[in-house]
PDB file of all heavy atoms in Angstrom:
ATOM      1  N   TYR A 471      -7.103  -6.235   1.887  1.00 97.00           N
ATOM      2  CA  TYR A 471      -7.365  -4.830   2.460  1.00 97.00           C
ATOM      3  C   TYR A 471      -6.038  -4.221   3.018  1.00 97.00           C
ATOM      4  O   TYR A 471      -5.115  -5.053   3.253  1.00 97.00           O
ATOM      5  CB  TYR A 471      -8.308  -4.991   3.626  1.00 97.00           C
ATOM      6  CG  TYR A 471      -9.632  -5.608   3.336  1.00 97.00           C
ATOM      7  CD1 TYR A 471      -9.933  -6.965   3.577  1.00 97.00           C
ATOM      8  CD2 TYR A 471     -10.710  -4.808   2.746  1.00 97.00           C
ATOM      9  CE1 TYR A 471     -11.128  -7.519   3.298  1.00 97.00           C
ATOM     10  CE2 TYR A 471     -11.884  -5.420   2.481  1.00 97.00           C
ATOM     11  CZ  TYR A 471     -12.149  -6.773   2.661  1.00 97.00           C
ATOM     12  OH  TYR A 471     -13.340  -7.316   2.412  1.00 97.00           O
ATOM     13  N   MET A 472      -5.957  -2.949   3.010  1.00 98.00           N
ATOM     14  CA  MET A 472      -5.035  -2.353   3.753  1.00 98.00           C
ATOM     15  C   MET A 472      -5.407  -1.247   4.626  1.00 98.00           C
ATOM     16  O   MET A 472      -5.949  -0.270   4.194  1.00 98.00           O
ATOM     17  CB  MET A 472      -3.907  -1.760   2.815  1.00 98.00           C
ATOM     18  CG  MET A 472      -2.643  -1.242   3.574  1.00 98.00           C
ATOM     19  SD  MET A 472      -1.243  -0.995   2.421  1.00 98.00           S
ATOM     20  CE  MET A 472      -1.810   0.336   1.535  1.00 98.00           C
ATOM     21  N   GLN A 473      -5.469  -1.471   5.968  1.00 98.00           N
ATOM     22  CA  GLN A 473      -5.914  -0.497   6.909  1.00 98.00           C
ATOM     23  C   GLN A 473      -4.805   0.485   7.086  1.00 98.00           C
ATOM     24  O   GLN A 473      -3.698  -0.069   7.472  1.00 98.00           O
ATOM     25  CB  GLN A 473      -6.258  -1.102   8.173  1.00 98.00           C
ATOM     26  CG  GLN A 473      -6.727  -0.214   9.284  1.00 98.00           C
ATOM     27  CD  GLN A 473      -7.993   0.466   8.988  1.00 98.00           C
ATOM     28  OE1 GLN A 473      -8.878  -0.065   8.415  1.00 98.00           O
ATOM     29  NE2 GLN A 473      -8.060   1.839   9.327  1.00 98.00           N
ATOM     30  N   MET A 474      -5.067   1.816   7.021  1.00 98.00           N
ATOM     31  CA  MET A 474      -3.889   2.826   7.194  1.00 98.00           C
ATOM     32  C   MET A 474      -4.318   3.703   8.210  1.00 98.00           C
ATOM     33  O   MET A 474      -5.370   4.437   8.169  1.00 98.00           O
ATOM     34  CB  MET A 474      -3.853   3.590   5.901  1.00 98.00           C
ATOM     35  CG  MET A 474      -3.504   2.673   4.569  1.00 98.00           C
ATOM     36  SD  MET A 474      -3.043   3.504   3.145  1.00 98.00           S
ATOM     37  CE  MET A 474      -4.622   4.487   2.799  1.00 98.00           C
ATOM     38  N   ASP A 475      -3.566   3.717   9.240  1.00 98.00           N
ATOM     39  CA  ASP A 475      -3.868   4.553  10.475  1.00 98.00           C
ATOM     40  C   ASP A 475      -2.711   5.615  10.581  1.00 98.00           C
ATOM     41  O   ASP A 475      -1.608   5.369   9.991  1.00 98.00           O
ATOM     42  CB  ASP A 475      -3.955   3.704  11.741  1.00 98.00           C
ATOM     43  CG  ASP A 475      -5.209   2.678  11.600  1.00 98.00           C
ATOM     44  OD1 ASP A 475      -6.225   3.085  11.198  1.00 98.00           O
ATOM     45  OD2 ASP A 475      -5.021   1.662  12.136  1.00 98.00           O
ATOM     46  N   SER A 476      -2.952   6.540  11.427  1.00 98.00           N
ATOM     47  CA  SER A 476      -1.934   7.593  11.854  1.00 98.00           C
ATOM     48  C   SER A 476      -1.247   8.096  10.389  1.00 98.00           C
ATOM     49  O   SER A 476      -0.127   8.148  10.374  1.00 98.00           O
ATOM     50  CB  SER A 476      -0.936   6.884  12.647  1.00 98.00           C
ATOM     51  OG  SER A 476      -1.368   6.550  13.834  1.00 98.00           O
ATOM     52  N   LEU A 477      -2.159   8.474   9.536  1.00 98.00           N
ATOM     53  CA  LEU A 477      -1.686   8.895   8.309  1.00 98.00           C
ATOM     54  C   LEU A 477      -0.867  10.359   8.277  1.00 98.00           C
ATOM     55  O   LEU A 477      -1.243  11.008   9.106  1.00 98.00           O
ATOM     56  CB  LEU A 477      -2.800   8.876   7.284  1.00 98.00           C
ATOM     57  CG  LEU A 477      -3.284   7.656   6.674  1.00 98.00           C
ATOM     58  CD1 LEU A 477      -4.700   7.729   6.108  1.00 98.00           C
ATOM     59  CD2 LEU A 477      -2.279   7.186   5.640  1.00 98.00           C
ATOM     60  N   LYS A 478       0.128  10.381   7.386  1.00 98.00           N
ATOM     61  CA  LYS A 478       0.917  11.586   7.412  1.00 98.00           C
ATOM     62  C   LYS A 478       0.802  12.087   6.053  1.00 98.00           C
ATOM     63  O   LYS A 478       0.602  11.486   5.039  1.00 98.00           O
ATOM     64  CB  LYS A 478       2.426  11.037   7.758  1.00 98.00           C
ATOM     65  CG  LYS A 478       2.583  10.389   8.990  1.00 98.00           C
ATOM     66  CD  LYS A 478       4.076   9.948   9.117  1.00 98.00           C
ATOM     67  CE  LYS A 478       4.291   9.112  10.370  1.00 98.00           C
ATOM     68  NZ  LYS A 478       5.574   8.742  10.462  1.00 98.00           N
ATOM     69  N   PRO A 479       1.169  13.426   5.914  1.00 97.00           N
ATOM     70  CA  PRO A 479       1.335  14.033   4.553  1.00 97.00           C
ATOM     71  C   PRO A 479       2.172  13.403   3.571  1.00 97.00           C
ATOM     72  O   PRO A 479       1.795  13.205   2.453  1.00 97.00           O
ATOM     73  CB  PRO A 479       1.753  15.442   4.820  1.00 97.00           C
ATOM     74  CG  PRO A 479       1.259  15.778   6.237  1.00 97.00           C
ATOM     75  CD  PRO A 479       1.404  14.364   6.932  1.00 97.00           C
ATOM     76  N   ASP A 480       3.203  12.627   4.096  1.00 97.00           N
ATOM     77  CA  ASP A 480       4.157  12.030   3.269  1.00 97.00           C
ATOM     78  C   ASP A 480       3.462  10.706   2.707  1.00 97.00           C
ATOM     79  O   ASP A 480       4.115  10.110   1.727  1.00 97.00           O
ATOM     80  CB  ASP A 480       5.397  11.595   4.031  1.00 97.00           C
ATOM     81  CG  ASP A 480       6.362  12.733   4.151  1.00 97.00           C
ATOM     82  OD1 ASP A 480       6.090  13.818   3.434  1.00 97.00           O
ATOM     83  OD2 ASP A 480       7.380  12.692   4.964  1.00 97.00           O
ATOM     84  N   ASP A 481       2.202  10.383   3.159  1.00 98.00           N
ATOM     85  CA  ASP A 481       1.622   9.098   2.607  1.00 98.00           C
ATOM     86  C   ASP A 481       0.807   9.447   1.416  1.00 98.00           C
ATOM     87  O   ASP A 481       0.256   8.527   0.796  1.00 98.00           O
ATOM     88  CB  ASP A 481       0.795   8.514   3.700  1.00 98.00           C
ATOM     89  CG  ASP A 481       1.420   7.989   4.860  1.00 98.00           C
ATOM     90  OD1 ASP A 481       2.523   7.319   4.669  1.00 98.00           O
ATOM     91  OD2 ASP A 481       1.147   8.165   6.035  1.00 98.00           O
ATOM     92  N   THR A 482       0.782  10.755   1.012  1.00 98.00           N
ATOM     93  CA  THR A 482       0.062  11.142  -0.055  1.00 98.00           C
ATOM     94  C   THR A 482       0.602  10.581  -1.411  1.00 98.00           C
ATOM     95  O   THR A 482       1.805  10.695  -1.513  1.00 98.00           O
ATOM     96  CB  THR A 482      -0.072  12.676  -0.276  1.00 98.00           C
ATOM     97  OG1 THR A 482      -0.661  13.155   0.943  1.00 98.00           O
ATOM     98  CG2 THR A 482      -0.718  13.106  -1.509  1.00 98.00           C
ATOM     99  N   ALA A 483      -0.251   9.846  -2.171  1.00 98.00           N
ATOM    100  CA  ALA A 483       0.212   9.108  -3.343  1.00 98.00           C
ATOM    101  C   ALA A 483      -0.906   8.403  -3.992  1.00 98.00           C
ATOM    102  O   ALA A 483      -2.027   8.401  -3.429  1.00 98.00           O
ATOM    103  CB  ALA A 483       1.230   8.143  -3.074  1.00 98.00           C
ATOM    104  N   VAL A 484      -0.740   7.916  -5.194  1.00 98.00           N
ATOM    105  CA  VAL A 484      -1.737   7.056  -5.874  1.00 98.00           C
ATOM    106  C   VAL A 484      -1.245   5.598  -5.365  1.00 98.00           C
ATOM    107  O   VAL A 484      -0.060   5.246  -5.499  1.00 98.00           O
ATOM    108  CB  VAL A 484      -1.594   7.094  -7.259  1.00 98.00           C
ATOM    109  CG1 VAL A 484      -2.639   6.041  -7.829  1.00 98.00           C
ATOM    110  CG2 VAL A 484      -2.077   8.548  -7.735  1.00 98.00           C
ATOM    111  N   TYR A 485      -2.151   4.934  -4.792  1.00 98.00           N
ATOM    112  CA  TYR A 485      -1.891   3.548  -4.280  1.00 98.00           C
ATOM    113  C   TYR A 485      -2.360   2.592  -5.283  1.00 98.00           C
ATOM    114  O   TYR A 485      -3.464   2.473  -5.727  1.00 98.00           O
ATOM    115  CB  TYR A 485      -2.589   3.278  -2.945  1.00 98.00           C
ATOM    116  CG  TYR A 485      -1.814   4.042  -1.867  1.00 98.00           C
ATOM    117  CD1 TYR A 485      -1.800   5.395  -1.723  1.00 98.00           C
ATOM    118  CD2 TYR A 485      -1.103   3.235  -0.940  1.00 98.00           C
ATOM    119  CE1 TYR A 485      -1.107   6.031  -0.630  1.00 98.00           C
ATOM    120  CE2 TYR A 485      -0.389   3.922   0.180  1.00 98.00           C
ATOM    121  CZ  TYR A 485      -0.525   5.436   0.184  1.00 98.00           C
ATOM    122  OH  TYR A 485       0.239   6.000   1.235  1.00 98.00           O
ATOM    123  N   TYR A 486      -1.368   1.575  -5.553  1.00 98.00           N
ATOM    124  CA  TYR A 486      -1.824   0.496  -6.496  1.00 98.00           C
ATOM    125  C   TYR A 486      -1.742  -0.923  -5.819  1.00 98.00           C
ATOM    126  O   TYR A 486      -0.712  -1.056  -5.134  1.00 98.00           O
ATOM    127  CB  TYR A 486      -0.768   0.527  -7.701  1.00 98.00           C
ATOM    128  CG  TYR A 486      -0.725   1.754  -8.606  1.00 98.00           C
ATOM    129  CD1 TYR A 486       0.074   2.875  -8.274  1.00 98.00           C
ATOM    130  CD2 TYR A 486      -1.641   1.807  -9.754  1.00 98.00           C
ATOM    131  CE1 TYR A 486      -0.009   3.981  -8.996  1.00 98.00           C
ATOM    132  CE2 TYR A 486      -1.573   2.892 -10.534  1.00 98.00           C
ATOM    133  CZ  TYR A 486      -0.903   4.011 -10.140  1.00 98.00           C
ATOM    134  OH  TYR A 486      -0.841   5.199 -10.982  1.00 98.00           O
ATOM    135  N   CYS A 487      -2.654  -1.588  -6.199  1.00 97.00           N
ATOM    136  CA  CYS A 487      -2.603  -3.035  -5.877  1.00 97.00           C
ATOM    137  C   CYS A 487      -1.920  -3.848  -7.064  1.00 97.00           C
ATOM    138  O   CYS A 487      -2.215  -3.518  -8.258  1.00 97.00           O
ATOM    139  CB  CYS A 487      -4.174  -3.556  -5.777  1.00 97.00           C
ATOM    140  SG  CYS A 487      -4.200  -5.275  -5.331  1.00 97.00           S
ATOM    141  N   ALA A 488      -1.076  -4.859  -6.664  1.00 97.00           N
ATOM    142  CA  ALA A 488      -0.502  -5.683  -7.664  1.00 97.00           C
ATOM    143  C   ALA A 488      -0.509  -7.105  -7.106  1.00 97.00           C
ATOM    144  O   ALA A 488      -0.557  -7.335  -5.959  1.00 97.00           O
ATOM    145  CB  ALA A 488       1.073  -5.208  -7.849  1.00 97.00           C
ATOM    146  N   ALA A 489      -0.646  -8.008  -8.135  1.00 95.00           N
ATOM    147  CA  ALA A 489      -0.498  -9.390  -7.816  1.00 95.00           C
ATOM    148  C   ALA A 489       0.215 -10.234  -8.793  1.00 95.00           C
ATOM    149  O   ALA A 489       0.143  -9.887 -10.097  1.00 95.00           O
ATOM    150  CB  ALA A 489      -2.068  -9.803  -7.762  1.00 95.00           C
ATOM    151  N   ASP A 490       0.713 -11.255  -8.383  1.00 94.00           N
ATOM    152  CA  ASP A 490       1.343 -12.284  -9.227  1.00 94.00           C
ATOM    153  C   ASP A 490       1.661 -13.459  -8.506  1.00 94.00           C
ATOM    154  O   ASP A 490       1.621 -13.559  -7.218  1.00 94.00           O
ATOM    155  CB  ASP A 490       2.698 -11.767  -9.875  1.00 94.00           C
ATOM    156  CG  ASP A 490       2.756 -12.233 -11.333  1.00 94.00           C
ATOM    157  OD1 ASP A 490       2.445 -13.298 -11.525  1.00 94.00           O
ATOM    158  OD2 ASP A 490       3.331 -11.411 -12.214  1.00 94.00           O
ATOM    159  N   THR A 491       1.757 -14.741  -9.278  1.00 93.00           N
ATOM    160  CA  THR A 491       2.134 -15.950  -8.637  1.00 93.00           C
ATOM    161  C   THR A 491       3.694 -16.130  -8.772  1.00 93.00           C
ATOM    162  O   THR A 491       4.234 -15.440  -9.641  1.00 93.00           O
ATOM    163  CB  THR A 491       1.434 -17.176  -9.345  1.00 93.00           C
ATOM    164  OG1 THR A 491       1.768 -16.957 -10.788  1.00 93.00           O
ATOM    165  CG2 THR A 491      -0.022 -16.989  -9.399  1.00 93.00           C
ATOM    166  N   GLY A 492       4.246 -16.914  -8.011  1.00 86.00           N
ATOM    167  CA  GLY A 492       5.553 -17.284  -8.073  1.00 86.00           C
ATOM    168  C   GLY A 492       6.611 -16.052  -7.744  1.00 86.00           C
ATOM    169  O   GLY A 492       7.744 -15.941  -8.238  1.00 86.00           O
ATOM    170  N   VAL A 493       6.139 -15.040  -6.977  1.00 92.00           N
ATOM    171  CA  VAL A 493       6.971 -13.985  -6.547  1.00 92.00           C
ATOM    172  C   VAL A 493       7.756 -14.501  -5.288  1.00 92.00           C
ATOM    173  O   VAL A 493       7.234 -14.716  -4.205  1.00 92.00           O
ATOM    174  CB  VAL A 493       6.095 -12.718  -6.111  1.00 92.00           C
ATOM    175  CG1 VAL A 493       7.142 -11.669  -5.618  1.00 92.00           C
ATOM    176  CG2 VAL A 493       5.274 -12.264  -7.222  1.00 92.00           C
ATOM    177  N   ILE A 494       9.023 -14.680  -5.469  1.00 92.00           N
ATOM    178  CA  ILE A 494       9.831 -15.144  -4.434  1.00 92.00           C
ATOM    179  C   ILE A 494      10.071 -14.009  -3.272  1.00 92.00           C
ATOM    180  O   ILE A 494       9.962 -12.876  -3.616  1.00 92.00           O
ATOM    181  CB  ILE A 494      11.214 -15.644  -4.902  1.00 92.00           C
ATOM    182  CG1 ILE A 494      12.072 -14.601  -5.540  1.00 92.00           C
ATOM    183  CG2 ILE A 494      11.005 -16.827  -5.935  1.00 92.00           C
ATOM    184  CD1 ILE A 494      13.435 -15.007  -5.883  1.00 92.00           C
ATOM    185  N   LEU A 495      10.432 -14.495  -2.206  1.00 91.00           N
ATOM    186  CA  LEU A 495      10.477 -13.680  -0.967  1.00 91.00           C
ATOM    187  C   LEU A 495      11.385 -12.450  -1.157  1.00 91.00           C
ATOM    188  O   LEU A 495      11.149 -11.293  -0.876  1.00 91.00           O
ATOM    189  CB  LEU A 495      10.968 -14.447   0.250  1.00 91.00           C
ATOM    190  CG  LEU A 495      10.968 -13.649   1.452  1.00 91.00           C
ATOM    191  CD1 LEU A 495       9.688 -13.090   1.886  1.00 91.00           C
ATOM    192  CD2 LEU A 495      11.425 -14.658   2.680  1.00 91.00           C
TER     193      LEU A 495
END
């Protein structure tokens, strides 16, 4: 989940979820 509070007009976008194993820091 991603809880988004205090949203601003600059937050307007298409939001994508991405996943993978082995992603280093």
Side-chain angles (χ1 to χ4, degrees):
Y471 303 99
M472 187 161 71
Q473 178 66 38
M474 305 187 298
D475 298 323
S476 302
L477 283 161
K478 306 174 181 179
D480 284 349
D481 295 317
T482 295
V484 178
Y485 284 70
Y486 294 91
C487 175
D490 217 318
T491 58
V493 181
I494 63 175
L495 183 58

